[in-house]
Amino acid sequence: MRHDIDHLHHVGHIVRDMEEGLALYRRLGFRLSPPAYPMLSPREGEPPRPFGATNTHANFPRSFVELVSCIDNDDPDRLPSDAKRIPLQAPPEHLARITESIRSTVARLAACLARFQGLHILVFETPDADAAAGRLSAEGIHHGGVITVRRPVDTANGTRMEPIRLLELDSPAPEETGSVAEGRIAIAENPAAALLKAQPDIDHPNGAVDLVESVLCVAQSALPEVERRYEKYLGRPARADGPARVFELDGSRVTLVADADLEAILPGERAPALPAFVAYAVAVRDIGVARQLLEENGFPLKRSASGDLFVPAAAALGAAILFRESARRPSG
């Protein structure tokens, strides 16, 4: 059966301090694109200042991990050494509207950080955003409709802003538009596969080649309702895998687990809030190479119930990060 959701597109790790996040991910063995800092003149005629939110990506040929933070100062001299300054130019009559939109984004990020530092974003890949939107509407799932946004894609000749089509899934509560209880959920198309595979800096020292799992922890009483909701999101049922419920995608998966059972699949882990995305997994070419790098960089390592190596959330700014041999598929 052909599905309109193929794979995990990306997860978003929201951190309080971008430089701390960059240092963590580099120690984990990821190559990151230069963090993008929007620059906006606060008033006409004044020099541009960093404003809003900053992000960077650990890119793979098909997916990526996004690192996001609010900009908490406006001093251009205090940005990371490799920061990419992105001028935001707008006619004076549009400046107030753009500023308010950016402030709204920052407020949403701040609300996420008020809950906890960690994973708050999950985006699924689709080959056809219109088809996915139509199916979700038929299922009674609230969404904001298909929009076109621009995604930066690094190439050998610099960064290209590629148009992609995306829809955000919403809570039915008007005051929560643009989010569901666990965070931001969206569905997005990808740029052409050839363009993604040609990205520089996707040869990560830890051998990571793909994003292959997202783990969502919920209250035991909420598990049946959340499972039904994700069945509608993904257009397929879950299967049982021990105490967890698993939605299999094309080479990736979403795992739902009740809070009482989280430690059974990720020993020592506790959800920082409920519901919450608590972990993600990347496939690596050679788990031995990944293990050696992580041990040399001082990370405590554990094994999941299915045998994956993982760095606990307490050592990774609120997100448990699993490393899985790319040739191995989880049992179930």
Side-chain angles (χ1 to χ4, degrees), residues 84-137:
K84 183 189 300 182
R85 292 163 169 81
I86 310 294
L88 299 179
Q89 297 176 340
E93 63 269 23
H94 297 314
L95 185 60
R97 178 178 57 81
I98 292 172
T99 301
E100 183 55 36
S101 176
I102 294 173
R103 284 180 174 150
S104 177
T105 297
V106 171
R108 288 196 295 271
L109 293 176
C112 290
L113 287 171
R115 289 188 75 214
F116 60 89
Q117 176 174 238
L119 301 168
H120 292 275
I121 300 167
L122 176 59
V123 181
F124 301 108
E125 177 193 324
T126 181
D128 189 335
D130 289 315
R135 178 182 59 81
L136 291 168
S137 294

Side-chain angles (χ1 to χ4, degrees), residues 66-213:
E66 182 182 24
L67 193 62
V68 190
S69 186
C70 299
I71 297 173
D72 61 3
N73 72 79
D74 65 355
D75 183 354
D77 295 328
R78 293 180 57 194
L79 302 187
S81 59
D82 62 342
K84 183 189 300 182
R85 292 163 169 81
I86 310 294
L88 299 179
Q89 297 176 340
E93 63 269 23
H94 297 314
L95 185 60
R97 178 178 57 81
I98 292 172
T99 301
E100 183 55 36
S101 176
I102 294 173
R103 284 180 174 150
S104 177
T105 297
V106 171
R108 288 196 295 271
L109 293 176
C112 290
L113 287 171
R115 289 188 75 214
F116 60 89
Q117 176 174 238
L119 301 168
H120 292 275
I121 300 167
L122 176 59
V123 181
F124 301 108
E125 177 193 324
T126 181
D128 189 335
D130 289 315
R135 178 182 59 81
L136 291 168
S137 294
E139 292 277 8
I141 298 295
H142 292 250
H143 61 80
V146 178
I147 60 172
T148 298
V149 298
R150 293 191 174 273
R151 171 184 166 182
V153 178
D154 294 326
T155 73
N157 298 317
T159 301
R160 288 174 52 171
M161 298 303 293
E162 287 292 309
I164 63 167
R165 309 188 74 223
L166 172 145
L167 65 150
E168 304 268 0
L169 305 188
D170 297 340
S171 164
E175 68 275 11
E176 297 177 2
T177 297
S179 67
V180 293
E182 58 269 26
R184 177 193 175 219
I185 311 290
I187 297 171
E189 296 177 356
N190 253 334
L195 183 62
L196 295 179
K197 289 178 181 177
Q199 295 175 103
D201 295 332
I202 59 174
D203 185 14
H204 300 279
N206 61 21
V209 294
D210 200 6
L211 172 67
V212 293
E213 185 170 8

Side-chain angles (χ1 to χ4, degrees), residues 8 210-215 279-283 308 320-324:
L8 296 179
D210 200 6
L211 172 67
V212 293
E213 185 170 8
S214 174
V215 181
Y280 69 85
V282 293
D308 293 324
I321 303 174
L322 288 74
F323 297 82
R324 178 175 302 152

